[in-house]
Amino acid sequence: MTAMAPTRTEPDLSFLLDHTSHVLRTRMSAELGAIGLTPRMHCVLVHALEEERTQAQLAEIGDMDKTTMVVTVDALEKAGLAERRPSSTDRRARIIAVTEAGAKVAKESQRIVDRVHQSALDSLPDDEREVLLRALNRLVAGHLQTPAEGPRPARRARQKG
């Protein structure tokens, strides 16, 4: 005898958000890959250009663990796009400094990221685009701003920054 599955009473918001996020990330990865970057490399370059930031600060912004951050910065250094330097405010800390070549690549990668986002939004009629963005921003700033604590932590989403 088989049990009947429970009847869904609400749209599967988790699937809708997960699927669209996954597809957007794959498109972003493919587009950035064409210029030799990963989304993580892009994130580090752009945020390191904003202000002096340590590896730990950039890892937090990009939701990277320590090992992933080291591998990402190693790749940026190998490509000549960034370098580790002592912090001007804390001699124990190392900051990630973007090279001149890295700044040029960051500018190009930001155009790519903006184009991928714009392409997704352009697939919606203007009125739906505005409603979607307003609703998502409201969820991010309100009801879904803070993750719930549980016995088995879920992977944390990338932080806006």
Side-chain angles (χ1 to χ4, degrees):
M1 180 167 138
T2 60
M4 291 191 56
T7 303
R8 183 176 299 283
T9 60
E10 295 295 328
D12 190 346
L13 184 59
S14 294
F15 166 76
L16 295 170
L17 293 172
D18 284 347
H19 180 77
T20 54
S21 179
H22 172 72
V23 171
L24 191 62
R25 282 191 315 272
T26 61
R27 290 181 181 180
M28 191 76 64
S29 292
E31 294 286 329
L32 288 171
I35 63 167
L37 287 188
T38 65
R40 288 181 176 132
M41 292 166 80
H42 164 77
C43 180
V44 169
L45 287 175
V46 169
H47 292 291
L49 280 168
E50 291 172 341
E51 63 184 67
E52 184 175 293
R53 288 192 165 120
T54 65
Q55 281 188 198
Q57 290 168 324
L58 290 166
E60 178 70 22
I61 290 168
D63 189 31
M64 289 180 253
D65 60 40
K66 195 179 205 178
T67 302
T68 302
M69 182 62 182
V70 168
V71 169
T72 301
V73 176
D74 286 349
L76 289 169
E77 282 189 317
K78 184 176 180 182
L81 303 177
E83 56 191 29
R84 293 171 175 95
R85 292 186 187 157
S87 169
S88 64
T89 58
D90 180 354
R91 61 188 166 97
R92 297 167 296 160
R94 311 266 295 158
I95 63 153
I96 304 307
V98 178
T99 64
E100 190 174 316
K104 288 178 185 173
V105 170
K107 190 173 187 178
E108 183 179 357
S109 67
Q110 189 60 59
R111 282 194 297 267
I112 290 169
V113 167
D114 290 344
R115 186 176 65 237
V116 170
H117 289 161
Q118 190 63 51
S119 175
L121 292 171
D122 284 348
S123 72
L124 299 172
D126 288 347
D127 59 331
E128 289 182 16
R129 180 181 323 140
E130 292 171 17
V131 169
L132 173 68
L133 290 172
R134 205 168 39 248
L136 289 173
N137 276 305
R138 183 172 290 161
L139 285 172
V140 166
H143 185 72
L144 297 179
Q145 180 179 23
T146 306
E149 296 295 325
R152 297 178 65 204
R155 183 179 181 279
R156 193 186 71 168
R158 181 180 66 84
Q159 300 297 298
K160 184 176 178 180

